[in-house]
Amino acid sequence: MTEKFDILIIGGGINGAGIARDAAGRNLKVCLVEKNKVGSATSSWSTKLIHGGLRYLENYEFRLVRESLKEREIIKKIANDIISPIPFIIPHFPQQRPKWLIQLGLFIYDHLGGKSSLPKSKRINIKKEIPNVLKNEFKIGFQYFDLQVDDKKLVELNINDAKKRGALIIENNKVINVKRNIDHWTITLNDKTTLNAKILINASGPWINNVLNNIINLNSKKSIRLVKGSHIITEKLYTQNKAFTLQNTDNRIVFVIPYKEKYSLIGTTEKEVYSPDNPTIDNEEIDYLINTVNKFFIRQISSDEIVETYAGIRPLIEDFNEASKITRDYIFDLNISDSNTPLLNIYGGKLTTYRKLSENVLHSLGPFLPKTKLSSWTGSKKL
Ligand SMILES: Cc1cc2nc3c(=O)[nH]c(=O)nc-3n(C[C@H](O)[C@H](O)[C@H](O)COP(=O)(O)OP(=O)(O)OC[C@H]3O[C@@H](n4cnc5c(N)ncnc54)[C@H](O)[C@@H]3O)c2cc1C
C-alpha cells in the first residue's frame, strides 16, 4: 500500500516552501513537488525586498501593509544571515506627491506594524548626505528603511528546514495528473510516480489557474491578471550603501538598489501578459527603466551598460484596477466539495508575507487535521 501524505503541495516557490516547513514542524506528513528546482521561478525574480510596501498605503491597503511590516520584523530575526537593512531615499521634486503626503505616509509606515528595530524615517538634505549622485534639482528627500533579502536562499532555507523535519521534497518532476478519490487524492508525476494525499495544496504561483483547470480539472473561481515585472542590472551607479525610490510621472515607482557589492539592481515594470512561461524583459521596459534613472541621476546610462536582466510574473487577483493598483494581497480558495479531500488554492502573495500566509494555511486546514497542534511556531525558530 502506497504511503499517504497528510498534505501534498504543488509548487516549490516561497509559498510552497513556507507551507512545507510549517506543516512538517507540526508533525504532518508532507510532500512538495516542484517541476524545476525549488525557488527557480517567481521567488527568485523579485526585487529582493522584505518590505511593508510603502506605496500600497496610497491604495488604502492597511491590512496588507500592517501584516507585511510585522513580518519584516519577524523575518529580520529568523533569517538574519540572508537579510540586510538598507536605507531608501525618496528624492522630492515639486511635480510629485506633496511633501506633507509623503511625510504622512512615512509616519504611518513607521508605526503601523508596531515596534520596529529599524531606524525611523526622516527628511534629509540630499546634497549633504549623498553628494554628486542626483541632479542638482533634487535637494530635499526622505529616508526610510526596509530589508534586502536573498530571495532564492529564503526558499532554500525553508525547504532545508522542512526536509530536516521530515518533509519529502521532489524536484525536477511535474505534477501532470490529479484524481479525487473518496478519501484521498492520487497525484501522478511526470516520471509516472504516483502519490496519495489527504489534502492537496495548489501553490503554483502564476501557474495556479493552469494547474487548477488543466491538471486538477476544476474550474477556477477566481480570475487572475498576470503582470510582468522586469529588472536590469548595471555596474554600480554610486558608492553609497543606499537605495533610491524614484517616483515617476505615471505615479509608479522604480527602485535603484545596491546589489552584490559591484552592481545596481533597477526595477521594476508592470506589463500585462497572457502566459506565465519564460518571461523576459522587452525593449519598451528597458527604455522605461533607463529613462527613469536618467531623469534623476547625474550619471546617465544606456542599454550598453546592462550586465543582466530578469523578469517575473505577478499572479494578481483581478479587482479591475489598473496594473499598479491591483492588490498585492493573497487569498485562499478552499474547495471542500468533499470534506475528505480538501483542495486549497493560493492566489497572490508577497515574498514578505510568505510565513504568515503559511501559518494561515495551516490554521484554515485545522478542521481537516484534528490531531494537529494549532499553535504557531515558525516566527520564533531561526531558519
Ligand atoms: C517583478 C516582481 C518583483 C517582486 N518583488 C517583490 C519584493 O521585492 N518583495 C516581495 O515581498 N515580493 C515581491 N514579489 C512577489 C513575490 O516574488 C511573489 O509573491 C512570490 O515569489 C510568489 O511565490 P509563489 O511560491 O507563489 O510562486 P513561485 O515562486 O512562482 O512558485 C510556484 C512554483 O510552482 C511550480 N509549478 C508550477 N506548476 C507545477 C506543476 N504542475 N508541478 C510542479 N510544480 C509546478 C513552478 O515551477 C514554481 O517554481 C515580486 C514579484 C515580481 C514578479
Side-chain angles (χ1 to χ4, degrees), residues 206-225:
W207 290 271
I208 183 156
N209 278 348
N210 294 14
V211 168
L212 186 55
N213 297 334
N214 306 325
I215 297 176
I216 306 178
N217 286 317
L218 287 173
N219 290 329
S220 44
K221 283 201 243 115
K222 305 257 178 295
S223 300
I224 52 167
R225 300 242 304 266

Side-chain angles (χ1 to χ4, degrees), residues 57 106 113 124 167 197 230 248 254 290 309 315 320 322 332 366 370:
L57 286 175
L106 288 172
I124 60 160
S230 300
N248 237 329
V254 168
I290 287 178
T309 65
F320 304 100
E322 60 189 90
F332 301 153

Side-chain angles (χ1 to χ4, degrees), residues 24-262:
R26 292 169 201 257
N27 296 327
L28 291 167
K29 283 170 92 176
V30 179
C31 176
L32 179 148
V33 183
E34 164 55 48
K35 65 178 175 178
N36 296 312
K37 297 287 280 175
V38 295
S40 60
T42 325
S43 301
S44 57
W45 300 328
S46 80
T47 311
K48 304 174 197 305
L49 297 177
I50 297 296
H51 63 155
L54 178 62
R55 115 191 140 74
Y56 311 143
L57 286 175
E58 235 172 22
N59 304 337
Y60 309 109
E61 297 218 52
F62 295 108
R63 192 214 75 79
L64 174 63
V65 178
R66 178 188 290 114
E67 181 172 294
S68 303
L69 289 168
K70 283 185 189 298
E71 285 303 299
R72 187 182 67 176
E73 197 62 21
I74 293 173
I75 293 173
K76 184 164 174 277
K77 286 198 193 102
I78 64 170
N80 66 333
D81 297 342
I82 56 160
I83 58 113
S84 44
I86 181 156
F88 281 77
I89 309 294
I90 311 175
H92 188 263
F93 59 101
Q95 297 87 330
Q96 64 161 201
R97 294 160 179 90
K99 280 187 224 134
W100 67 263
L101 187 62
I102 298 175
Q103 268 169 318
L104 176 66
L106 288 172
F107 179 82
I108 297 172
Y109 202 65
D110 282 342
H111 294 93
L112 190 61
K115 213 161 177 271
S116 166
S117 57
L118 293 176
K120 294 259 181 290
S121 60
K122 62 176 186 183
R123 189 178 156 136
I124 60 160
N125 179 328
I126 288 184
K127 288 275 146 301
K128 253 202 208 145
E129 298 210 20
I130 6 162
N132 307 323
V133 176
L134 297 183
K135 289 182 179 169
N136 218 3
E137 64 227 64
F138 303 105
K139 295 186 168 61
I140 288 169
F142 300 92
Q143 175 179 285
Y144 67 95
F145 272 77
D146 268 323
L147 305 177
Q148 247 188 311
V149 69
D150 183 335
D151 48 4
K152 191 162 192 223
K153 222 31 203 286
L154 189 63
V155 179
E156 289 165 355
L157 288 181
N158 275 279
I159 289 286
N160 291 345
D161 202 32
K163 270 191 200 162
K164 227 170 64 193
R165 294 170 194 274
L168 173 66
I169 308 293
I170 300 175
E171 290 181 284
N172 301 312
N173 214 338
K174 186 176 173 183
V175 173
I176 55 163
N177 192 275
V178 160
K179 185 166 167 258
R180 199 173 212 162
N181 306 300
I182 292 175
D183 65 347
H184 68 277
W185 295 90
T186 302
I187 298 104
T188 308
L189 310 188
N190 209 19
D191 69 352
K192 305 280 184 294
T193 305
T194 57
L195 301 159
N196 293 328
K198 178 179 166 64
I199 297 172
L200 185 63
I201 298 183
N202 177 7
S204 55
W207 290 271
I208 183 156
N209 278 348
N210 294 14
V211 168
L212 186 55
N213 297 334
N214 306 325
I215 297 176
I216 306 178
N217 286 317
L218 287 173
N219 290 329
S220 44
K221 283 201 243 115
K222 305 257 178 295
S223 300
I224 52 167
R225 300 242 304 266
L226 300 177
V227 178
K228 181 173 60 154
S230 300
H231 293 83
I232 57 175
I233 298 169
T234 62
E235 299 283 342
K236 211 156 141 172
L237 296 183
Y238 50 89
T239 51
Q240 293 89 336
N241 187 37
K242 288 182 191 286
F244 288 90
T245 303
L246 308 179
Q247 302 193 70
N248 237 329
T249 37
D250 61 3
N251 251 4
R252 293 199 62 259
I253 53 166
V254 168
F255 294 115
V256 181
I257 308 171
Y259 184 58
K260 292 190 176 170
E261 314 270 306
K262 286 163 61 183

